[in-house]
Amino acid sequence: TKHDTKLYILTSKIYRKMGDLDKAFEQIQLAGRVYRNRGKKTDPRVELPMDITQQTNLIFNDMAIKYAMEGEFSKAIALYNQIIDSEIKLNKGLPDIEYRYYLNRGDCYRGLSQYEEAIVEYLKALDSKPQKQAIWELQTRISLSRYLMSIDCFNNGDFKESDRQLTKC
């Protein structure tokens, strides 16, 4: 029925898989409204169930990836900030969050040449206990960020800091 949130969640997943993120987001918002309404007047203070929040975060992640691919890193970071805050709330304040959110946010910072912030994000991703293959991937990104910092330092005449960053690579 039109009052079943599962219908809207499933429709949202289908649109997301098809790459139509606007329609996916529209459907997950409908799921939230239906859940909050439940035959009564809508109450925005009602906390959404985990499946609606997680699907929203997945849609935001796909949107953020799209922004990043278009070079709009600040927009992507804003979405990752929302996702990570939401995931922390879902986990009752525990920092046990999918490492890819930190990795992707780190990539966005690196895209903005904010290498120190990128490294902080990659370290958070490592703290999230990723799979073995991801550890290598994260360590590579940390080294790449340090290398890029080294180049900036070298080009600015700070050879000592450049050498320090290369050593850390």
Side-chain angles (χ1 to χ4, degrees):
T1 71
K2 66 180 183 178
H3 300 292
D4 186 359
T5 59
K6 291 177 187 168
L7 171 69
Y8 297 109
I9 294 168
L10 180 60
T11 307
S12 175
K13 287 179 183 180
I14 292 168
Y15 279 124
R16 188 177 138 257
K17 293 288 184 187
M18 291 172 48
D20 192 339
L21 300 178
D22 291 333
K23 286 198 179 202
F25 187 63
E26 178 184 299
Q27 291 298 303
I28 204 64
Q29 285 183 311
L30 274 170
R33 281 197 295 275
V34 166
Y35 180 81
R36 284 187 169 125
N37 189 357
R38 289 185 261 167
K40 304 173 195 165
K41 192 174 183 180
T42 301
D43 185 355
R45 296 169 295 162
V46 173
E47 193 170 316
L48 293 173
M50 187 166 57
D51 51 350
I52 292 176
T53 303
Q54 287 176 327
Q55 182 64 19
T56 302
N57 289 345
L58 290 171
I59 294 166
F60 284 170
N61 183 60
D62 290 353
M63 288 176 169
I65 289 170
K66 184 177 175 218
Y67 283 137
M69 291 176 70
E70 294 169 354
E72 296 195 50
F73 300 113
S74 295
K75 287 182 180 179
I77 289 169
L79 283 171
Y80 284 120
N81 291 342
Q82 254 185 292
I83 293 167
I84 291 169
D85 288 346
S86 174
E87 290 289 315
I88 289 171
K89 288 176 187 168
L90 276 179
N91 293 326
K92 309 284 188 244
L94 297 174
D96 189 23
I97 295 172
E98 171 63 37
Y99 81 94
R100 286 183 185 93
Y101 295 139
Y102 291 121
L103 179 142
N104 292 342
R105 187 164 67 176
D107 286 349
C108 291
Y109 279 121
R110 192 167 36 105
L112 291 171
S113 301
Q114 297 176 5
Y115 306 120
E116 289 181 36
E117 290 86 349
I119 291 169
V120 167
E121 295 303 314
Y122 298 143
L123 291 172
K124 287 178 185 176
L126 281 172
D127 287 343
S128 295
K129 299 176 184 91
Q131 299 170 354
K132 209 172 206 174
Q133 176 64 22
I135 292 171
W136 179 87
E137 187 179 344
L138 287 161
Q139 289 171 334
T140 301
R141 280 176 160 85
I142 291 169
S143 291
L144 175 61
S145 297
R146 291 203 182 282
Y147 173 75
L148 293 170
M149 284 173 67
S150 159
I151 291 173
D152 282 354
C153 291
F154 183 86
N155 289 336
N156 291 325
D158 190 351
F159 304 118
K160 189 174 183 178
E161 182 61 22
S162 176
D163 183 53
R164 193 172 80 76
Q165 291 301 327
L166 280 175
T167 303
K168 286 185 171 186
C169 283

